[in-house]
Amino acid sequence: MILHRLRNYTARVFEGNGKYRRIGRALDVFLMSLIMVNVVAIVLESVGPLAKQYHHEFLMIELISVGIFTLEYVLRLWSCVDKSVHKESPLTNSKIRIKYFFSPLALIDLIAILPTILMVFVSVDLRFLRVLRLMRIFKLTRYSRAMQLLLNSFKEESSSLLAAFFIMAVVLIIASCGIYLIEHDVQPDKFGSIPAAMWWAMVTLTTVGYGDVVPVTPLGRLFGGAITLVSMGMVAIPTGLLASSFSEQLRKRRQVFTDAVHEAVEDGHLSPVEEEHLENLRYKLGLSQQEANKAIHNELKNRNRNLYCRHCGKRQD
Amino acid sequence: MILHRLRNYTARVFEGNGKYRRIGRALDVFLMSLIMVNVVAIVLESVGPLAKQYHHEFLMIELISVGIFTLEYVLRLWSCVDKSVHKESPLTNSKIRIKYFFSPLALIDLIAILPTILMVFVSVDLRFLRVLRLMRIFKLTRYSRAMQLLLNSFKEESSSLLAAFFIMAVVLIIASCGIYLIEHDVQPDKFGSIPAAMWWAMVTLTTVGYGDVVPVTPLGRLFGGAITLVSMGMVAIPTGLLASSFSEQLRKRRQVFTDAVHEAVEDGHLSPVEEEHLENLRYKLGLSQQEANKAIHNELKNRNRNLYCRHCGKRQD
Amino acid sequence: MILHRLRNYTARVFEGNGKYRRIGRALDVFLMSLIMVNVVAIVLESVGPLAKQYHHEFLMIELISVGIFTLEYVLRLWSCVDKSVHKESPLTNSKIRIKYFFSPLALIDLIAILPTILMVFVSVDLRFLRVLRLMRIFKLTRYSRAMQLLLNSFKEESSSLLAAFFIMAVVLIIASCGIYLIEHDVQPDKFGSIPAAMWWAMVTLTTVGYGDVVPVTPLGRLFGGAITLVSMGMVAIPTGLLASSFSEQLRKRRQVFTDAVHEAVEDGHLSPVEEEHLENLRYKLGLSQQEANKAIHNELKNRNRNLYCRHCGKRQD
Amino acid sequence: MILHRLRNYTARVFEGNGKYRRIGRALDVFLMSLIMVNVVAIVLESVGPLAKQYHHEFLMIELISVGIFTLEYVLRLWSCVDKSVHKESPLTNSKIRIKYFFSPLALIDLIAILPTILMVFVSVDLRFLRVLRLMRIFKLTRYSRAMQLLLNSFKEESSSLLAAFFIMAVVLIIASCGIYLIEHDVQPDKFGSIPAAMWWAMVTLTTVGYGDVVPVTPLGRLFGGAITLVSMGMVAIPTGLLASSFSEQLRKRRQVFTDAVHEAVEDGHLSPVEEEHLENLRYKLGLSQQEANKAIHNELKNRNRNLYCRHCGKRQD
């Protein structure tokens, strides 16, 4: 029975709603900080001299972190059956756990601890495995609204972006074939095959332009010049799509909050329950305290200026 | 008579309408896959070791593909007289065929098979011809909505883009002449003539910046710095034009579908014929199943919210 | 008297209005072609071998062109007093000529012929003078709507662009001072002074990135990385300003034409005088025949659809 | 008493309002010019030969400038208690001075003179200190509307920019780890550690592309090509955010002026007091004389066209 209540308490804290908000957020901040410390440590560990000098410290950070992450993973897996969304679920506990186990966030959590566990138990110590630990940066997805925004942008514009990338692929193939035909005989080491020429084409079409591989014949430079011109168009299309979509996502997010505020202030004042609800929404949407206050302030001001109809509550513009 | 019905059947399948939709789309998918396999094969064949090791396999892919493409080409040319658009045409069959023969899509189909036929029959085996086979990537134009979108964007913005390119040409000439005057004596191998200096100007104005040719004198760097500043403006104009035009094309395409949906749900429900019609339109416009469903769902919801006038059916905004 | 009428005729042709439209445009096309031939010739003449082989041909092109341009210049100066705008001018002929002489377009015409005249009469033959002949590319300004559009964009956004360039200048100075402090001791040949370091800063801030001068110390690379990040912002601001302004200019230009069409079709049909007027406007605004026809077609269609109020003539949206 | 009135006069001149406008602006222009002369001098002084040849001149400029700046600083600190904003302040003079002392603008003023004072009195002569004098470029912030615009843009879009930079940081770490794993063994000098690989990742993700560090293995180039593709998206997001925000700031600034003009012309004419007020506002907002006149002209025209309600004065759109 005690175990049952403990499990329920754990689930509440991870969710961070209601009276568990304070402790839930503290836990979030702690775990985010730990992830960042880990990422910095792994990056610095790749520097030879530092790795030698602070070998012990890096090992301590790693072991403690993995310990905490493992504990977190186990607790999440154990308490997931008590999540509010499963309250009325007809699934058995084990089925919920299996479903949770294969959810993307849980898999990321597992991948974050796996390399170290492998290194410790199987006693392999490969650089590949050590760098793989950086995958735990994806654990931030759970907390980061920015990443969710970007994912939403990609999802919304997926068909347009696919169209843009298809065009890019066609242009890439034409560019690399053209330069291969023209420059192959003069620079066989650099334009030895079409896949090799694709490196030049890619670097040019994205306007990165390293300059390690460049056409040298007059015809090659004429063709290359035409491709640099095309590159401007290639950059323009995804830029326009992503930029407008990202702004749109941010606008929508603010709109959701503004709408909720409007609903809450309809009766002329903010009750503590409404405030609590808005605060939760603000946190979930990743808006800053300042932005939220401004939105609430504006909404109250608009109400007084009769911007909304007193009868039907609809905006009058 | 049998031949006549076969020809009619072929035309229906290529058009892929009505009850031939399923088989028509299957054919589309098959031909698109074949084109992509071909492109990958030709690209990989340019890699020396791979070409030697898998010489036989590449040859098989090529021969089978060209066989299928030739068959497709012949069938399209043969059956084009039975296309629905020609049903009431007063032209004779041979005139329709000649007209089809010189249509862009038919010419692309011909170019796609010509190099291999030349290689086989005339027994020439030039690298140039082998790479020319990549022209069959343009066969995708028939299926790709993305490419049609881009072509439309270019058409719509053609006068603006021409204006932008004219300005770019003038700036290019001024930049290359300036740098030629300044750097010619110090780097005669790199800025030997104005056309040679154009390579630097082009690479700079598009912000690619390889760095294989750079000014070295203080005056040249001052002038070069000014040109890099100008390059930002040069990139800005076509970027803005293309980005907004491409988004506009996508918006229009969705609007066409939404309008069709609106017309279809005007009587309150979707009949099977209407659904069939919408499905065809969706496929033709290249919208995803998900987007289409969302549009239909929104339209039905809007209807219930009286967004459209009950009398005239016009949108009330 | 004959001379007077000839002068008047010349002025009419240069203006290209009314019944002189056809010949005026033919003259425009001829002069534009000649300018372009000249530019191509001067560019090609800078290529050593070509200059030797076709020395005679280049000289012929040059002499004939300068002859024609000189004739054009003299005729324009002579006939400028008969321009329609001066019909009721109280200025004396010589004052009009002096005023015209110092107008930008007339100065460009003079600069276009001056270098060759200097070379012929003063017998100097400097490369500098030869390249200066390229200034005649600016003669195209008279005919190019694109260049006028760009100039308008710059004028409209001048205060915003100045703000952007001021910020860029401050960032440039900070970037070059920082890198000078950090990298001066390690690469005294590349970062020997702040002006020298400005070359790196400029190339980086515009994202051109030649790579001829790069930081090599860890601290320099950290600072350089921060500057590359800033460069994205630096590129963003003028890009956004110019892109939106250029599109706006194009939109306005079309609007002017649409408004004129609307006024012309108000009575339900296009009279020959109205057509003549619209055609002149279309040419002046640099719209394509196709765009103009589409605008007229739309306007007529809108009229039939009662988009404009039958009573007040105002658009109903 | 005389001292008191002098202090009050100084405060008025620094504020430049009312009848002190002319002298206040003259002082602004003088100080801005002096700052610019200083910046140019410091930049040129870093060039070895120039520093030697004009050693005396540079010293003179420096000493005189620092003298003036010190005087300005002292006067500002002394007179700040008489600022209009403090007229009814309950704070004591010393508290106002301490508060002013720690304001950002006052700190910048202090930093601008400190290095030279240190060099003179402590007799140290480090290059670091000499370059630090360039910090006085930030003194321009006081006068520059452009910089205030940029700061506002950053403030408004801070949460969005933070989101974008967070995504960039994650992509940066993934890119540098990937390339480190792939290229470390082949190019240990260039990709020796993850921080070293970050230089490549940063240069690529911002599309600067120096080319001093590039992947050479086929796998590295495949990964690098993918990262160049991602770089287009990375550039797109802050570009879109900043570009739209900067334009928005400029639009708002103009709106503030237009609103003020509207209020001023409500009674049908501009009184001298209203004109004085508008002129002050125009200067404060950094609008050009031309823009301001256009706005006033439009507003008067609109008034005549009854765009504003005759009764309540509100805009009718």
Side-chain angles (χ1 to χ4, degrees):
Chain A
M1 207 56 207
I2 271 257
L3 208 70
H4 204 271
R5 276 173 65 191
L6 199 66
R7 197 178 70 185
N8 193 42
Y9 175 76
T10 314
R12 287 294 86 69
V13 169
F14 277 131
E15 282 188 330
N17 280 336
K19 61 175 175 169
Y20 300 98
R21 203 175 68 192
R22 208 169 291 271
I23 188 169
R25 290 202 194 168
L27 185 69
D28 283 6
V29 169
F30 170 69
L31 287 173
M32 280 169 78
S33 314
L34 193 64
I35 296 166
M36 285 178 196
V37 166
N38 263 265
V39 168
V40 171
I42 297 168
V43 165
L44 290 180
E45 208 185 340
S46 75
V47 184
L50 281 179
K52 266 180 208 155
Q53 200 178 344
Y54 299 102
H55 179 255
H56 190 66
E57 284 81 353
F58 283 128
L59 197 66
M60 285 312 293
I61 291 176
E62 182 62 24
L63 289 181
I64 293 171
S65 307
V66 169
I68 295 171
F69 289 144
T70 311
L71 188 67
E72 183 209 351
Y73 179 68
V74 170
L75 284 177
R76 277 191 196 275
L77 195 60
W78 173 59
S79 71
C80 72
V81 292
D82 282 340
K83 268 188 188 165
S84 342
V85 288
H86 296 138
K87 238 166 203 164
E88 321 232 326
S89 166
L91 293 169
T92 63
N93 279 2
S94 51
K95 271 194 184 157
I96 291 175
R97 286 222 176 84
I98 286 168
K99 215 178 135 196
Y100 175 75
F101 183 86
F102 287 107
S103 71
L105 286 176
L107 286 175
I108 288 173
D109 284 352
L110 185 60
I111 289 169
I113 50 174
L114 222 60
T116 307
I117 291 177
L118 271 180
M119 280 195 275
V120 171
F121 288 94
V122 196
S123 274
V124 290
D125 183 35
L126 295 161
R127 192 172 62 236
F128 182 73
L129 267 184
R130 261 187 288 149
V131 171
L132 215 73
R133 290 176 300 161
L134 262 172
M135 297 292 278
R136 64 186 63 150
I137 204 174
F138 288 113
K139 276 174 79 83
L140 285 172
T141 319
R142 198 192 295 272
Y143 313 106
S144 161
R145 249 62 60 180
M147 252 163 168
Q148 285 158 17
L149 273 179
L150 192 73
L151 288 179
N152 275 350
S153 286
F154 277 125
K155 225 182 279 173
E156 287 266 317
E157 296 288 326
S158 57
S159 70
S160 315
L161 283 173
L162 260 177
F165 283 133
F166 174 71
I167 293 166
M168 181 127 197
V170 171
V171 173
L172 180 72
I173 285 173
I174 295 165
S176 46
C177 288
I179 207 76
Y180 165 74
L181 270 183
I182 299 170
E183 293 279 326
H184 178 264
D185 294 325
V186 185
Q187 303 188 78
D189 55 322
K190 288 184 172 169
F191 296 100
S193 65
I194 295 176
M198 271 182 186
W199 171 245
W200 170 83
M202 198 70 201
V203 165
T204 302
L205 283 173
T206 54
T207 75
V208 170
Y210 290 127
D212 56 335
V213 181
V214 285
V216 293
T217 61
L219 192 62
R221 290 191 162 181
L222 192 70
F223 183 77
I227 295 299
T228 60
L229 206 70
V230 170
S231 76
M232 291 197 308
M234 287 300 104
V235 169
I237 294 167
T239 299
L241 289 174
L242 268 184
S244 65
S245 172
F246 200 75
S247 309
E248 182 66 17
Q249 293 291 326
L250 286 162
R251 204 194 54 70
K252 267 190 200 165
R253 207 176 53 157
R254 280 188 201 128
Q255 192 57 47
V256 167
F257 188 73
T258 314
D259 288 353
V261 171
H262 172 52
E263 222 165 275
V265 301
E266 213 169 349
D267 51 0
H269 73 285
L270 272 176
S271 70
V273 176
E274 284 168 346
E275 257 183 76
E276 164 82 22
H277 172 69
L278 285 181
E279 170 59 17
N280 274 334
L281 190 67
R282 183 196 71 73
Y283 186 69
K284 219 180 99 195
L285 293 170
L287 296 172
S288 71
Q289 196 78 50
Q290 200 191 348
E291 272 182 295
N293 288 341
K294 208 169 137 193
I296 293 171
H297 177 78
N298 279 340
E299 209 62 20
L300 285 167
K301 212 175 66 186
N302 282 342
R303 209 186 143 64
N304 297 342
R305 278 162 66 197
N306 285 336
L307 233 159
Y308 296 97
C309 175
R310 280 169 195 277
H311 314 291
C312 65
K314 275 182 197 149
R315 205 180 174 119
Q316 308 287 318
D317 35 24
Chain B
M1 207 55 208
I2 269 256
L3 209 68
H4 203 271
R5 276 172 65 192
L6 200 65
R7 197 180 68 186
N8 192 43
Y9 175 77
T10 314
R12 288 293 85 70
V13 169
F14 277 131
E15 283 187 329
N17 279 338
K19 62 174 175 171
Y20 300 98
R21 203 175 69 193
R22 208 170 292 270
I23 189 168
R25 292 202 192 168
L27 186 68
D28 283 4
V29 169
F30 170 70
L31 286 173
M32 282 170 77
S33 314
L34 193 65
I35 297 167
M36 286 179 196
V37 166
N38 262 265
V39 168
V40 171
I42 297 169
V43 165
L44 290 180
E45 208 184 339
S46 75
V47 183
L50 281 178
K52 266 181 208 155
Q53 201 177 345
Y54 299 102
H55 179 256
H56 191 66
E57 283 81 351
F58 282 128
L59 198 67
M60 285 313 293
I61 291 176
E62 182 62 24
L63 290 181
I64 292 171
S65 307
V66 170
I68 295 170
F69 288 144
T70 311
L71 188 68
E72 183 208 352
Y73 179 68
V74 170
L75 284 177
R76 277 191 197 274
L77 194 62
W78 174 57
S79 71
C80 72
V81 293
D82 284 341
K83 268 188 188 164
S84 343
V85 289
H86 296 136
K87 237 167 204 163
E88 320 230 329
S89 166
L91 293 169
T92 62
N93 279 2
S94 50
K95 273 195 183 154
I96 291 176
R97 285 222 176 84
I98 286 169
K99 213 179 135 195
Y100 175 76
F101 182 86
F102 287 107
S103 71
L105 287 177
L107 286 176
I108 288 173
D109 284 352
L110 186 60
I111 289 168
I113 49 174
L114 223 61
T116 306
I117 291 177
L118 271 179
M119 280 196 272
V120 171
F121 287 95
V122 196
S123 274
V124 289
D125 184 35
L126 294 161
R127 192 172 62 236
F128 183 73
L129 268 184
R130 261 187 288 149
V131 172
L132 214 73
R133 290 176 302 159
L134 262 172
M135 298 290 279
R136 65 186 62 150
I137 204 173
F138 288 113
K139 276 174 80 83
L140 285 173
T141 319
R142 197 192 294 274
Y143 312 106
S144 161
R145 249 62 61 181
M147 253 162 165
Q148 286 158 17
L149 273 178
L150 193 73
L151 288 178
N152 276 350
S153 287
F154 277 126
K155 226 182 277 173
E156 288 266 317
E157 296 287 327
S158 56
S159 70
S160 315
L161 284 174
L162 260 177
F165 282 132
F166 174 71
I167 292 166
M168 182 128 196
V170 171
V171 173
L172 180 72
I173 286 173
I174 295 166
S176 46
C177 288
I179 208 75
Y180 165 75
L181 271 184
I182 299 170
E183 292 279 326
H184 178 264
D185 294 325
V186 186
Q187 304 187 79
D189 54 324
K190 288 184 171 167
F191 297 100
S193 64
I194 295 176
M198 272 182 186
W199 171 245
W200 170 84
M202 199 71 200
V203 165
T204 302
L205 282 172
T206 55
T207 76
V208 169
Y210 289 128
D212 57 335
V213 181
V214 285
V216 292
T217 61
L219 192 62
R221 290 191 163 181
L222 192 70
F223 183 77
I227 295 298
T228 60
L229 207 68
V230 169
S231 75
M232 292 197 307
M234 288 299 105
V235 168
I237 294 166
T239 299
L241 289 174
L242 268 185
S244 65
S245 171
F246 201 75
S247 309
E248 182 65 17
Q249 293 291 327
L250 286 163
R251 204 195 53 71
K252 267 190 200 165
R253 207 175 55 156
R254 280 185 202 130
Q255 192 56 46
V256 167
F257 188 73
T258 312
D259 288 352
V261 172
H262 171 52
E263 223 165 273
V265 301
E266 213 169 348
D267 51 0
H269 74 285
L270 272 177
S271 70
V273 175
E274 285 169 347
E275 257 183 76
E276 164 81 23
H277 172 69
L278 285 181
E279 169 60 16
N280 274 334
L281 189 67
R282 181 195 73 73
Y283 186 70
K284 220 182 97 194
L285 293 170
L287 295 172
S288 72
Q289 195 76 50
Q290 201 191 346
E291 273 182 294
N293 288 341
K294 207 168 136 193
I296 293 172
H297 178 78
N298 279 340
E299 211 60 22
L300 285 168
K301 214 175 66 186
N302 281 343
R303 207 183 146 64
N304 296 343
R305 279 162 65 196
N306 285 337
L307 234 158
Y308 296 96
C309 174
R310 281 167 195 278
H311 312 293
C312 64
K314 276 183 197 147
R315 206 179 174 121
Q316 306 288 318
D317 36 25
Chain C
M1 205 58 205
I2 270 255
L3 209 70
H4 204 271
R5 275 171 67 191
L6 200 66
R7 198 179 68 186
N8 192 43
Y9 175 77
T10 314
R12 287 293 88 69
V13 169
F14 277 131
E15 283 188 329
N17 279 337
K19 61 174 176 170
Y20 300 97
R21 203 175 69 193
R22 208 170 292 271
I23 189 167
R25 291 202 194 168
L27 185 69
D28 283 5
V29 169
F30 170 70
L31 286 173
M32 281 170 77
S33 313
L34 193 65
I35 296 166
M36 285 179 196
V37 166
N38 262 265
V39 168
V40 171
I42 296 168
V43 165
L44 290 180
E45 208 184 339
S46 74
V47 184
L50 281 178
K52 266 180 209 158
Q53 200 178 345
Y54 299 102
H55 179 256
H56 190 66
E57 283 81 352
F58 283 128
L59 197 68
M60 285 313 294
I61 292 175
E62 182 62 24
L63 290 181
I64 294 170
S65 307
V66 170
I68 295 170
F69 289 145
T70 311
L71 188 67
E72 182 208 352
Y73 179 69
V74 170
L75 284 177
R76 277 192 197 273
L77 195 62
W78 174 58
S79 72
C80 71
V81 293
D82 282 341
K83 269 187 188 166
S84 342
V85 288
H86 296 137
K87 238 167 203 162
E88 320 231 328
S89 166
L91 293 170
T92 62
N93 279 3
S94 51
K95 272 195 184 156
I96 291 176
R97 285 223 177 84
I98 286 168
K99 213 178 138 197
Y100 175 75
F101 182 87
F102 287 107
S103 71
L105 286 176
L107 285 175
I108 287 173
D109 284 352
L110 185 60
I111 289 168
I113 50 173
L114 223 60
T116 307
I117 291 176
L118 271 179
M119 281 195 273
V120 171
F121 288 94
V122 196
S123 275
V124 289
D125 184 35
L126 294 161
R127 192 171 63 237
F128 183 73
L129 268 185
R130 260 187 289 147
V131 171
L132 215 73
R133 291 177 300 161
L134 261 172
M135 298 291 278
R136 64 187 63 150
I137 204 173
F138 288 113
K139 276 175 78 83
L140 285 173
T141 319
R142 196 192 295 274
Y143 313 107
S144 161
R145 248 64 60 180
M147 253 162 165
Q148 286 158 16
L149 273 179
L150 193 74
L151 288 179
N152 275 350
S153 287
F154 276 125
K155 226 182 279 172
E156 287 268 315
E157 297 287 327
S158 57
S159 71
S160 316
L161 283 173
L162 260 177
F165 282 132
F166 174 72
I167 292 166
M168 182 128 196
V170 171
V171 173
L172 180 73
I173 285 172
I174 295 165
S176 46
C177 288
I179 207 75
Y180 166 73
L181 270 184
I182 299 170
E183 293 277 327
H184 178 265
D185 293 324
V186 186
Q187 303 187 81
D189 55 323
K190 287 183 172 169
F191 296 101
S193 65
I194 295 177
M198 272 182 186
W199 171 245
W200 170 84
M202 199 70 200
V203 165
T204 302
L205 283 173
T206 54
T207 76
V208 170
Y210 290 128
D212 57 336
V213 181
V214 285
V216 293
T217 61
L219 192 62
R221 290 190 163 181
L222 192 70
F223 183 77
I227 295 298
T228 60
L229 208 69
V230 170
S231 76
M232 291 198 307
M234 287 300 104
V235 169
I237 294 167
T239 299
L241 289 174
L242 267 185
S244 65
S245 172
F246 200 75
S247 309
E248 183 65 16
Q249 292 292 326
L250 286 162
R251 203 194 55 69
K252 266 189 200 164
R253 206 175 55 156
R254 280 189 201 126
Q255 192 57 47
V256 167
F257 188 73
T258 313
D259 287 352
V261 171
H262 171 52
E263 220 165 276
V265 301
E266 213 169 348
D267 51 0
H269 73 285
L270 272 176
S271 70
V273 176
E274 285 169 346
E275 258 184 76
E276 164 81 24
H277 172 69
L278 285 181
E279 170 59 18
N280 274 334
L281 190 66
R282 181 196 73 72
Y283 186 69
K284 218 182 98 195
L285 293 170
L287 295 173
S288 72
Q289 195 77 50
Q290 201 190 347
E291 272 182 294
N293 288 341
K294 208 169 135 193
I296 293 171
H297 178 77
N298 279 340
E299 210 60 23
L300 284 168
K301 215 175 65 187
N302 282 342
R303 207 185 145 62
N304 296 342
R305 279 162 65 197
N306 286 335
L307 233 160
Y308 295 96
C309 175
R310 281 169 195 277
H311 313 293
C312 65
K314 275 183 198 149
R315 208 182 172 117
Q316 306 288 317
D317 35 26
Chain D
M1 207 54 208
I2 269 257
L3 209 70
H4 204 271
R5 275 172 67 191
L6 200 66
R7 196 179 70 186
N8 192 43
Y9 175 77
T10 314
R12 287 294 86 69
V13 169
F14 277 130
E15 283 188 328
N17 279 337
K19 61 175 176 170
Y20 300 98
R21 202 175 70 193
R22 208 170 292 270
I23 188 167
R25 290 201 193 167
L27 186 69
D28 284 5
V29 169
F30 170 71
L31 286 173
M32 281 170 79
S33 313
L34 193 64
I35 296 166
M36 285 179 196
V37 166
N38 262 265
V39 168
V40 171
I42 297 168
V43 165
L44 290 180
E45 208 184 339
S46 75
V47 184
L50 281 178
K52 266 180 211 159
Q53 200 177 345
Y54 299 102
H55 179 256
H56 190 67
E57 284 82 352
F58 283 128
L59 197 67
M60 285 312 293
I61 291 175
E62 182 62 24
L63 290 181
I64 294 170
S65 308
V66 169
I68 295 170
F69 289 144
T70 310
L71 188 67
E72 182 209 352
Y73 179 68
V74 170
L75 285 177
R76 276 191 198 275
L77 195 61
W78 173 59
S79 71
C80 71
V81 292
D82 283 340
K83 269 188 188 165
S84 344
V85 288
H86 296 137
K87 239 167 202 161
E88 320 231 327
S89 166
L91 292 169
T92 62
N93 278 3
S94 52
K95 272 195 183 157
I96 291 175
R97 284 221 178 85
I98 287 169
K99 214 179 136 196
Y100 176 76
F101 182 86
F102 287 108
S103 71
L105 286 176
L107 285 176
I108 288 173
D109 283 351
L110 186 60
I111 289 168
I113 50 174
L114 223 60
T116 307
I117 291 176
L118 271 180
M119 281 195 274
V120 171
F121 287 94
V122 196
S123 273
V124 290
D125 183 35
L126 294 161
R127 192 172 62 238
F128 183 73
L129 269 183
R130 260 185 290 148
V131 171
L132 215 73
R133 292 177 298 160
L134 261 170
M135 298 291 278
R136 65 187 62 150
I137 204 173
F138 288 113
K139 276 174 79 84
L140 285 172
T141 319
R142 196 191 296 272
Y143 313 106
S144 161
R145 250 61 62 179
M147 252 161 166
Q148 286 158 17
L149 273 179
L150 194 73
L151 288 178
N152 275 349
S153 288
F154 276 126
K155 225 182 279 172
E156 287 267 316
E157 296 288 326
S158 57
S159 70
S160 315
L161 283 174
L162 260 177
F165 283 133
F166 174 71
I167 291 166
M168 182 127 195
V170 171
V171 172
L172 180 72
I173 286 172
I174 295 166
S176 46
C177 288
I179 208 75
Y180 166 72
L181 270 184
I182 298 170
E183 294 278 326
H184 177 265
D185 294 326
V186 186
Q187 303 188 79
D189 55 323
K190 288 183 172 168
F191 296 101
S193 65
I194 295 176
M198 271 181 186
W199 172 244
W200 170 83
M202 199 70 200
V203 166
T204 302
L205 283 173
T206 55
T207 77
V208 170
Y210 290 127
D212 56 336
V213 181
V214 284
V216 293
T217 61
L219 192 61
R221 290 189 162 182
L222 193 70
F223 183 78
I227 295 298
T228 60
L229 207 69
V230 170
S231 76
M232 291 197 308
M234 287 300 105
V235 169
I237 295 167
T239 299
L241 289 174
L242 268 185
S244 65
S245 172
F246 201 75
S247 309
E248 182 66 16
Q249 293 291 327
L250 286 163
R251 204 194 54 70
K252 266 190 200 164
R253 206 175 54 155
R254 281 187 201 128
Q255 192 57 46
V256 167
F257 188 73
T258 312
D259 288 352
V261 172
H262 171 53
E263 221 165 275
V265 300
E266 214 169 348
D267 52 358
H269 72 285
L270 272 176
S271 70
V273 176
E274 284 169 346
E275 256 183 77
E276 165 81 22
H277 172 70
L278 285 181
E279 170 59 17
N280 274 334
L281 189 67
R282 182 196 73 72
Y283 186 71
K284 219 182 98 195
L285 293 170
L287 295 172
S288 71
Q289 195 77 49
Q290 200 190 350
E291 273 182 295
N293 288 341
K294 209 168 134 192
I296 293 171
H297 178 78
N298 280 340
E299 210 61 22
L300 284 168
K301 214 175 65 187
N302 282 343
R303 208 185 144 64
N304 297 342
R305 279 162 67 197
N306 285 336
L307 234 160
Y308 295 96
C309 175
R310 281 167 194 278
H311 313 292
C312 64
K314 275 183 197 148
R315 207 182 173 116
Q316 306 290 317
D317 36 24

